[in-house]
Amino acid sequence: MKITFNIHYLAGTGQKICIVGAIDELGAWQTVLAKEMNDCGNGQWILDVEIPFFVKTLDYRYVLKLPDGTTIFEPCNKTHSTQFSPKQARYYLFDYWLAMPENPVLYTSAFIRTIFAHASQAYPAKEEDGEIIIRVSNPHVGKDQHVAIAGNQDVLGMWQPEDAKEMICTHFPEWEIRLGFDGITFPVEYKFLIRDTKKQTCLWETGDNRILPPLPQHEKAACVVSEYPYRDNRMPWKGAGVVIPVFSLRSARSFGIGDLYDLKLLVDWAVLAGLHLIQILPVNDTTRTHTWEDSYPYSAISIYALHPVYISLQEMGAPKDEKKAAFYARKQQALNRENAVDYEEVEKYKMQYCRDFFEQEGAQILKSPAFKSFLKANRSWLIPYAAFCFFREKYHTSDFTQWGEDARCNLPRIQSLCKESSSIYSDISYTYFLQFVLHTQFKSVSDYARKKGVILKGDLPIGIHRTSVDAWLEPPLFNHEGQAGAPPDDFSETGQNWSFPTYNWDVMEKNDFLWWKKRFAKLGDYFNCIRIDHILGFFRIWEVPNDFVQGLCGHFRPALPLTVREIESFGLEWDERLLKPRIHRRCLDELFGVDARKHLDTFLIEEDSAHLTLKPVYDTQRKIEGALGKHADALSVEIKNGLFAIAHEVLFLKDPYAQAKFHPRISGNRSFAYAELSPKAQTAFDRLSHHFFYERHNAFWKAEALKRLIPIIESTDMLICGEDLGMIPASVHEVMTQLHILSLELERTPKILGEQFACLSKLPYLSVCTTSTHDMSPLRLWWKENPEKRQQYYQSVLRRNGTAPASCSAKIAAQILGNHLGASSILAVIPLQDWLAMSDALKYPRAEDERINIPADPNHYWRYRMHLTLEKLIESDEFNRKIRNMLAEYGRL
């Protein structure tokens, strides 16, 4: 079969257009073997290729080859694709250079599989020997609409929209029409339009008429014309959503904690309220201790496994034993009476229920074709995960370094242990069973949400726990000598230490970031949109040395640390004492009370007549914590906090990866050590710090982020959002804009220096705006906490006179949410607590009980649960109408 490729591209001097594709005749995707096209002048490039008749579908891309041999692909990360009919012996393909679409997010799975999803249709068989196939891309077509083509031909309705030819959605968002040559008079003029099911015109495309010049006409030949995308001048699409953790949901059927059935009910409510998106927090397994400490959803032990507490017991099935059924019914009632999640009781009795059900039905389930298919598709991660869970229980810890002979992951041994003939297979297969049930239930919810037109947005934590399956299975990928965290910010003045290992990005790069690609692919099983938690970690991570408990004395990695010569070039005289923590005697009163000062001789030693330093046995925060404990009496806590502060009293930190190079300590100008510097030295340190933290790394971190993010983002079709709050390098916005990653915008934490509150009407379109996050006080609580800020907001943002009321009324909440719905962001995703703040009848009685997390507390118990059931929320007609009316008013319905 002969194929003639045609494309128009105005190449520069010495440049060539080439084609690379999936078949050997086009280089089998090897760019060095790409076929050069013939330059016919005026930007026209042509190539004839003979391909085997057994090729039914051809995927290919165009490549610009520069004089030095460098190759550049089309900007849009998408292949050209053509299906061949056995009726045709010759194809002429007329393509265009695939630039990035005007609104690329509409081409993600969030839109093409959910919001505007259209089923693929097979084109009716044609009798003509030759045909013209015209294609156009348009994702912004409602589910009750279609694309049509009208033009100056009888077959195209002679420009009458009601007689225009309906196009077939062959593979959404691609629309196609097939015409015979009979009756066609060239040139053909035409335009595309959108019509509804009654053939009423909804929208003509803009711009001049499209013109199709004479095409080659041969017996058994097809001309495939791929047109530039539909020209749409409508206001950009906008939508709204809700965010809430799954564990916070409540229904009449749940078991003390939100579950996957509850998530389906939330979809039903979203449809009633007119919301397009549901965002949840991570749902991966976090089980390490079987205590409330496992409630932290960002501390996963597996990037694949789902948390068993989210199984819907009623969806799974009921015990046949009447006594057991009655027992669990009583437990369910008791746990559902609790205002918050009792994590330990929930996990204990839900897992007991699951074990009983497994003993009752497990043998049959394990024999089912559906289970066998699941096991085959997921065995690469499921087998190590099941072995990990077995060893965790056997050794009574998830810390695999304490597992003796099993401390190192031995895959042959694991595979042997996980065989059906193994003595521990009942435990292994139980873990398989739990993950099979979770996958089945979650996939059902995911499919249900797509069918209902609701985007499910997941959450990808930036880190994994240091005693996780992944760290055990693939240790070279992780750096256990450091701890991931965040520098000081509005949430915590001493920074955050998440205790996760940091990544060895150079190792990950060697296989093109496969670990990340597989992670994104697994999320894609359930979600068509994800939030990348702390996307700044792809630029650089805040790495805290293992000796520190708090995050203040961390450093960025990767980074460009300073030499002594560079430090002194800012006018600061180098002194090794800048590296050593010490405290002036006169500062002790600020750190310790009278009683605490009586005990300081135990911990401190004199360095000189004016200064004290920590004794060697207490010279790190880890040693101090080991001596005084994590949860001690008030006096011990006071002493510990004071000693922790002394451990921070340095102005520079040694770089752990490069000799004789140093990092300035962040927020060093707030330290006692800084106060002891001369005014001249303070000015020098300030200049050095500003250069280091805000100027020195911009280009470097941009290159690092692009190197990591481009191959990962290109591996998925999900809509990607990034949590880009905190200390943001200047290059972050550039990279996120280039890669079409939606930013996160909060009115109360503006990104422009000097602003009190962000201007919602000036937010970037490619962004998600919200009133609060799980790390912040919800709207009503924020209103109460800071009277001064509240008054500023009341007058400058809400434009109200007088004194702001002490509590946020339903009317004020509605005004605030209305402002956010009117923002320029593509998505306004509001926490459920803040939606409910608009209703005195539905909001939580106490605003203080709505908070989900306190980032400054590393031992926070994540247990917030909505106080009313989803059934009641669904029945709240007046409230739901209010939301729909607001969405309609602000163009988000």
Side-chain angles (χ1 to χ4, degrees):
M1 182 164 52
K2 188 172 184 178
I3 312 295
T4 300
F5 296 90
N6 298 262
I7 192 170
H8 182 268
Y9 186 89
L10 293 172
T13 303
Q15 297 178 346
K16 294 281 187 180
I17 296 295
C18 307
I19 306 178
V20 64
I23 58 176
D24 290 340
E25 288 77 6
L26 293 179
W29 291 123
Q30 296 186 58
T31 312
V32 293
L33 300 179
K35 301 298 181 183
E36 285 191 6
M37 301 185 74
N38 299 309
D39 184 359
C40 298
N42 298 318
Q44 297 297 326
W45 298 82
I46 294 179
L47 178 68
D48 290 326
V49 177
E50 289 282 351
I51 69 171
F53 272 96
F54 60 75
V55 176
K56 303 301 181 187
T57 302
L58 178 60
D59 294 328
Y60 57 98
R61 296 185 72 181
Y62 291 95
V63 183
L64 177 65
K65 188 175 182 181
L66 304 183
D68 63 0
T70 304
T71 53
I72 302 172
F73 280 96
E74 297 161 282
C76 184
N77 181 38
K78 174 188 168 189
T79 60
H80 299 263
S81 185
T82 297
Q83 290 186 325
F84 301 118
S85 167
K87 291 176 54 181
Q88 309 296 350
R90 178 78 186 266
Y91 273 84
Y92 294 90
L93 306 182
F94 297 88
D95 295 317
Y96 67 93
W97 185 259
L98 287 177
M100 195 59 67
E102 189 171 332
N103 194 351
V105 298
L106 296 186
Y107 288 80
T108 63
S109 63
F111 292 92
I112 64 175
R113 295 187 192 173
T114 304
I115 299 296
F116 302 122
H118 285 258
S120 296
Q121 300 170 272
Y123 209 95
K126 290 286 184 181
E127 297 298 325
E128 293 87 352
D129 287 334
E131 61 182 350
I132 304 168
I133 303 171
I134 300 176
R135 295 172 174 169
V136 69
S137 175
N138 186 3
H140 197 168
V141 182
K143 292 184 178 181
D144 58 349
Q145 299 173 337
H146 62 265
V147 176
I149 179 172
N152 66 346
Q153 310 285 316
D154 288 336
V155 72
L156 301 182
M158 294 303 292
W159 293 111
Q160 297 303 308
E162 63 274 13
D163 296 326
K165 194 81 169 176
E166 181 174 339
M167 302 183 78
I168 297 296
C169 180
T170 52
H171 185 70
F172 192 65
E174 302 297 325
W175 300 84
E176 181 177 298
I177 186 75
R178 298 190 178 200
L179 306 170
F181 279 95
D182 290 344
I184 295 289
T185 303
F186 292 101
V188 180
E189 292 192 36
Y190 58 97
K191 291 180 90 168
F192 301 108
L193 64 152
I194 297 173
R195 297 189 311 193
D196 62 20
T197 53
K198 296 180 180 179
K199 294 192 175 183
Q200 296 296 308
T201 302
C202 301
L203 181 76
W204 280 94
E205 70 168 339
T206 59
D208 297 333
N209 294 344
R210 299 176 188 253
I211 298 177
L212 187 64
L215 297 174
Q217 297 185 45
H218 301 291
E219 185 178 349
K220 293 188 176 182
C223 296
V224 182
V225 180
S226 296
E227 276 284 15
Y228 287 92
Y230 190 97
R231 302 182 301 241
D232 195 333
N233 66 347
R234 284 174 289 184
M235 293 292 291
W237 183 92
K238 289 183 182 180
V242 61
V243 54
I244 185 171
V246 174
F247 64 75
S248 299
L249 298 174
R250 182 190 293 268
S251 77
R253 290 177 53 172
S254 51
F255 201 97
I257 192 171
D259 61 35
L260 292 170
Y261 171 78
D262 295 342
L263 192 54
K264 191 175 285 188
L265 287 181
L266 188 63
V267 171
D268 290 337
W269 173 72
V271 172
L272 285 172
L275 300 174
H276 303 88
L277 179 146
I278 291 173
Q279 177 181 332
I280 61 175
L281 270 56
V283 288
N284 292 96
D285 191 4
T286 59
T287 308
R288 295 179 296 107
T289 65
H290 298 293
T291 70
W292 65 266
E293 292 181 353
D294 298 343
S295 68
Y296 180 29
Y298 289 88
S299 187
I301 64 162
S302 169
I303 62 171
Y304 302 109
L306 300 170
H307 204 309
V309 295
Y310 296 127
I311 288 176
S312 171
L313 299 182
Q314 291 200 26
E315 290 286 297
M316 181 176 67
K320 293 178 181 177
D321 186 306
E322 293 182 1
K323 288 185 179 179
K324 286 183 178 180
F327 170 78
Y328 289 123
R330 290 194 298 273
K331 283 296 177 187
Q332 179 187 29
Q333 291 170 6
L335 290 168
N336 279 344
R337 282 194 294 267
E338 297 288 336
N339 291 330
V341 177
D342 186 336
Y343 185 88
E344 293 177 14
E345 289 289 288
V346 164
E347 196 228 17
K348 176 182 177 181
Y349 289 108
K350 286 196 79 167
M351 293 307 95
Q352 186 175 311
Y353 185 112
C354 289
R355 176 65 80 168
D356 285 344
F357 187 79
F358 177 69
E359 291 176 0
Q360 174 184 300
E361 306 289 346
Q364 286 299 114
I365 291 173
L366 296 181
K367 293 177 184 177
S368 69
F371 172 79
K372 290 178 179 178
S373 176
F374 168 77
L375 180 60
K376 182 179 180 181
N378 295 277
R379 60 186 301 114
S380 63
W381 67 265
L382 189 55
I383 289 175
Y385 167 74
F388 181 94
C389 292
F390 172 78
F391 291 140
R392 179 191 62 206
E393 304 309 308
K394 175 184 176 181
Y395 294 104
H396 307 292
T397 178
S398 66
D399 184 357
F400 50 81
T401 64
Q402 307 300 313
W403 290 356
E405 64 173 332
D406 298 307
R408 288 196 172 198
C409 181
N410 184 327
L411 279 176
R413 169 170 158 76
I414 287 170
Q415 288 166 351
S416 177
L417 286 171
C418 293
K419 288 181 178 178
E420 288 189 43
S421 57
S422 168
S423 61
I424 65 167
Y425 189 69
S426 61
D427 291 315
I428 296 298
S429 60
Y430 172 62
T431 301
Y432 292 166
F433 159 78
L434 291 176
Q435 290 302 313
F436 171 67
V437 172
L438 283 159
H439 171 75
T440 303
Q441 291 188 359
F442 204 177
K443 196 71 174 68
S444 173
V445 175
S446 177
D447 293 343
Y448 184 76
R450 283 193 176 104
K451 184 179 178 181
K452 293 286 188 177
V454 175
I455 299 167
L456 273 190
K457 180 181 178 182
D459 197 336
L460 183 143
I462 188 61
I464 53 109
H465 198 273
R466 60 180 53 243
T467 63
S468 65
V469 185
D470 304 278
W472 179 58
L473 182 63
E474 300 185 84
L477 302 182
F478 308 99
N479 171 36
H480 283 270
E481 300 306 311
Q483 309 167 93
D489 56 20
D490 292 340
F491 301 127
S492 175
E493 63 181 17
T494 57
Q496 298 178 50
N497 181 358
W498 305 323
S499 299
F500 307 144
T502 54
Y503 295 119
N504 289 325
W505 285 104
D506 54 336
V507 177
M508 291 180 161
E509 187 180 1
K510 289 178 180 177
N511 66 355
D512 201 27
F513 307 102
L514 181 62
W515 185 83
W516 283 100
K517 290 178 179 180
K518 291 193 293 186
R519 192 176 181 187
F520 273 65
K522 186 60 179 174
L523 287 167
D525 286 347
Y526 313 113
F527 304 106
N528 38 42
C529 175
I530 60 165
R531 165 193 179 269
I532 299 177
D533 169 52
H534 195 68
I535 196 172
L536 305 181
F538 285 87
F539 293 75
R540 79 295 185 271
I541 198 70
W542 186 250
E543 186 174 275
V544 182
N546 286 343
D547 285 340
F548 283 90
V549 175
Q550 297 173 327
L552 185 61
C553 280
H555 58 270
F556 287 122
R557 182 185 182 209
L560 304 170
L562 300 162
T563 64
V564 169
R565 175 178 291 182
E566 286 177 301
I567 292 170
E568 291 187 331
S569 71
F570 285 88
L572 182 66
E573 185 178 348
W574 177 250
D575 190 326
E576 290 287 332
R577 287 179 298 181
L578 298 174
L579 298 167
K580 186 174 182 181
R582 60 179 191 161
I583 190 77
H584 198 284
R585 291 179 183 274
R586 64 172 176 262
C587 301
L588 294 176
D589 290 351
E590 294 187 42
L591 297 178
F592 304 97
V594 175
D595 291 337
R597 288 200 298 275
K598 296 175 184 177
H599 301 273
L600 293 184
D601 287 347
T602 305
F603 304 97
L604 301 178
I605 189 172
E606 187 177 276
E607 183 187 68
D608 56 41
S609 59
H611 296 91
L612 300 171
T613 190
L614 295 163
K615 289 182 178 179
V617 291
Y618 305 112
D619 61 359
T620 71
Q621 288 187 343
R622 290 290 173 199
K623 292 178 181 179
I624 296 166
E625 183 178 68
L628 295 174
K630 291 184 179 180
H631 311 289
D633 59 86
L635 180 60
S636 296
V637 169
E638 181 187 346
I639 294 172
K640 180 178 72 173
N641 290 340
L643 296 175
F644 275 11
I646 293 174
H648 289 149
E649 281 299 312
V650 297
L651 289 178
F652 287 91
L653 302 155
K654 287 184 179 179
D655 183 86
Y657 308 104
Q659 284 190 342
K661 291 192 175 182
F662 309 92
H663 301 255
R665 201 211 83 180
I666 200 165
S667 303
N669 58 353
R670 299 180 183 177
S671 68
F672 295 117
Y674 176 86
E676 291 194 57
L677 296 176
S678 68
K680 180 181 178 182
Q682 288 180 347
T683 300
F685 184 82
D686 291 342
R687 287 177 50 243
L688 179 151
S689 294
H690 185 273
H691 165 76
F692 187 85
F693 290 116
Y694 297 101
E695 298 172 352
R696 184 178 178 89
H697 296 93
N698 284 337
F700 174 63
W701 284 336
K702 180 179 180 180
E704 291 293 307
L706 289 173
K707 179 172 65 177
R708 300 164 183 176
L709 282 170
I710 287 176
I712 297 170
I713 297 299
E714 288 183 348
S715 72
T716 182
D717 62 356
M718 291 185 290
L719 175 62
I720 307 297
C721 309
E723 183 268 291
D724 56 336
L725 305 179
M727 189 175 178
I728 311 170
S731 56
V732 170
H733 177 70
E734 299 172 29
V735 170
M736 292 178 70
T737 300
Q738 180 178 336
L739 301 183
H740 313 290
I741 299 172
L742 274 58
S743 63
L744 179 61
E745 307 292 337
L746 284 107
E747 187 179 41
R748 68 173 94 160
T749 57
K751 294 176 179 175
I752 298 177
L753 191 64
E755 280 192 350
Q756 283 290 322
F757 304 101
C759 180
L760 296 176
S761 64
K762 295 182 179 179
L763 299 180
Y765 173 67
L766 292 184
S767 70
V768 178
C769 75
T770 187
T771 47
S772 59
T773 74
H774 61 268
D775 282 332
M776 298 176 173
S777 300
L779 183 58
R780 292 165 60 218
L781 183 57
W782 172 75
W783 187 272
K784 293 177 65 174
E785 286 176 334
N786 191 328
E788 184 179 346
K789 197 97 169 177
R790 175 178 71 217
Q791 186 62 36
Q792 291 174 347
Y793 186 83
Y794 189 73
Q795 292 179 322
S796 64
V797 178
L798 300 185
R799 305 292 183 183
R800 295 188 177 208
N801 298 321
T803 303
S807 62
C808 181
S809 67
K811 190 173 182 180
I812 290 175
Q815 183 181 354
I816 294 172
L817 265 64
N819 290 347
H820 282 75
L821 294 177
S824 48
S825 305
I826 185 174
L827 288 168
V829 182
I830 309 297
L832 182 64
Q833 304 97 301
D834 294 350
W835 280 119
L836 296 177
M838 297 196 302
S839 170
D840 289 329
L842 299 178
K843 67 187 180 186
Y844 216 113
R846 276 172 35 91
E848 290 78 7
D849 294 332
E850 293 182 323
R851 180 141 195 180
I852 296 174
N853 181 39
I854 302 173
D857 178 9
N859 299 307
H860 182 72
Y861 188 174
W862 297 62
R863 59 189 313 222
Y864 161 72
R865 198 170 184 213
M866 58 188 291
H867 62 295
L868 72 162
T869 65
L870 286 158
E871 290 90 346
K872 182 175 181 180
L873 188 59
I874 288 170
E875 293 168 359
S876 301
D877 296 337
E878 183 180 348
F879 177 67
N880 296 333
R881 278 197 303 272
K882 183 175 184 176
I883 294 177
R884 287 189 73 91
N885 290 339
M886 292 176 69
L887 296 178
E889 179 183 353
Y890 292 103
R892 292 188 183 270
L893 187 61

